[in-house]
Amino acid sequence: SSNKNSEVEEIESKENLSNIIKNLNYRSFDGNGNEYILNADFGEVSEENEDIIILKKVTGIIKLTNKSEINIRADFAKYNSKSFDTYFYQNVSGFFEDSKVYADNFDLLFNSSKAILYNNISFFDKNTLAKADEILLDLISGDINIKMLDKEKKIQIIKN
């Protein structure tokens, strides 16, 4: 009976290995002609939901129609292969024209054409550093809305 146990263990470990995918590349377009490219060193299919893939060492490129592209990097992202919604987290950085932004979280909500950055945001634009609670980016208009959730607090802007 010890033979049967080792067989089961082997099968389980093979199943675990098949959950991990190396060098992932996703490419999609929305109804507005915006292109979205996602690359990751590793991906692991979530055990709770097979539509969710946990990505490691992730880069994302959002190519907005008639706008500069946005580049995103993060240690991890949760990617929904059905909706294309992507939740970047841990050491998130974004680059757009002359601006750089760092945050703990960057949610790219593909179907509603919005991106939301939140938690420990630092936003650098040419000679300006801003700290804020949330940055909302409209992927259709390109409008950026920076806000503090606590109304008592002001957006900190530090000029260099």
Side-chain angles (χ1 to χ4, degrees), residues 16-108:
N16 286 347
L17 285 174
S18 71
N19 277 353
I20 294 177
I21 312 149
K22 285 185 181 176
N23 300 323
L24 286 167
N25 182 288
Y26 295 104
R27 192 166 165 222
S28 42
F29 292 84
D30 67 10
N32 303 298
N34 297 324
E35 184 181 2
Y36 176 45
I37 300 163
L38 195 60
N39 296 300
D41 286 3
F42 295 96
E44 188 169 2
V45 178
S46 164
E47 286 174 20
E48 291 89 52
N49 179 348
E50 62 185 29
D51 295 338
I52 303 291
I53 300 161
I54 306 298
L55 305 173
K56 292 178 186 158
K57 291 206 167 59
V58 197
T59 58
I61 302 167
I62 305 168
K63 294 183 176 183
L64 298 175
T65 317
N66 305 323
K67 302 252 184 325
S68 297
E69 64 182 42
I70 299 165
N71 290 279
I72 309 150
R73 285 194 205 117
D75 290 352
F76 298 97
K78 213 162 134 180
Y79 174 73
N80 185 318
S81 60
K82 283 242 161 64
S83 68
F84 308 125
D85 287 351
T86 310
Y87 303 90
F88 297 89
Y89 58 98
Q90 212 165 298
N91 293 319
V92 179
S93 55
F95 306 91
F96 176 78
E97 288 177 358
D98 296 333
S99 306
K100 286 189 196 86
V101 66
Y102 299 94
D104 291 348
N105 300 86
F106 184 124
D107 294 354
L108 182 60

